[in-house]
Amino acid sequence: MRVYVPLTLPGLAEAHKTGELGSGPLVAYAVTPALREWYVSDDIEELEYAALSRAALASLRLLAADPDAPRRRVVVAVDVPDRAAVADPDRGLDPAALGEVRVTGAVPLAKAAAVHVDAGEAEADVTAAAGAVTAADAGDDDAQFVVDGAEDHELLWFARQEIPTLVGTGD
């Protein structure tokens, strides 16, 4: 199963240093039955993009909690065994949890299929959105408009081998 793990650049740097995204359980996003029902599509590429977008929003929440992190959303796409990613049936229809799964066990960074990161020109909108995401989650329409401004930026695709450049180690 392909899952999308939300991070920040410092989180990606830590994963690069340790060689794993974490020992679990990790929160990630995937094509779950609830996401399929919400998105109303059978196109797997559209559904995968929806899961990636949910992870990007979760990355924005991580940025809101870490004011020192560079203002770029980071999502790592990784394949895990189906049994390692479990959706919580009690949260399945909660709009905030659409596509959310818990990944058990260690997730080696070497299993990453790709890394998705904001371009530099997104930083102003991502900064504003990180400041507004909590209010948007509480239902503030003006704050949601600000969050949507960050979501207008497509995340760039990077190969796993490019992580050292992304995190500034240049290994």
Side-chain angles (χ1 to χ4, degrees):
M1 171 183 281
R2 169 80 37 105
V3 299
Y4 298 90
V5 180
L7 292 175
T8 61
L9 282 172
L12 183 61
E14 181 65 20
H16 175 64
K17 185 173 119 183
T18 64
E20 67 181 26
L21 291 171
S23 57
L26 296 173
V27 173
Y29 293 81
V31 178
T32 63
L35 184 74
R36 282 181 189 276
E37 185 176 324
W38 171 74
Y39 200 74
V40 191
S41 175
D42 290 329
D43 184 324
I44 191 63
E45 287 183 14
E46 288 181 17
L47 291 165
E48 293 278 348
Y49 184 78
L52 170 66
S53 297
R54 301 296 296 175
L57 181 58
S59 175
L60 192 60
R61 290 183 184 108
L62 294 173
L63 289 172
D66 185 357
D68 295 330
R71 298 330 216 177
R72 290 180 163 176
R73 297 168 298 164
V74 177
V75 176
V76 177
V78 62
D79 294 317
V80 299
D82 287 346
R83 66 189 177 284
V86 179
D88 182 346
D90 293 333
R91 288 181 43 96
L93 297 178
D94 177 354
L98 284 170
E100 186 179 285
V101 295
R102 299 264 184 244
V103 179
T104 58
V107 180
L109 189 57
K111 296 281 187 186
V115 179
H116 303 271
V117 180
D118 275 310
E121 66 253 11
E123 285 187 28
D125 287 336
V126 171
T127 299
V133 71
T134 302
D137 287 344
D140 183 318
D141 290 337
D142 292 334
Q144 186 61 54
F145 181 78
V146 175
V147 170
D148 291 344
E151 292 177 356
D152 288 343
H153 294 276
E154 294 290 328
L155 297 176
L156 301 177
W157 182 96
F158 295 90
R160 179 177 25 91
Q161 296 83 347
E162 296 177 274
I163 292 173
T165 303
L166 288 171
V167 299
T169 62
D171 301 328

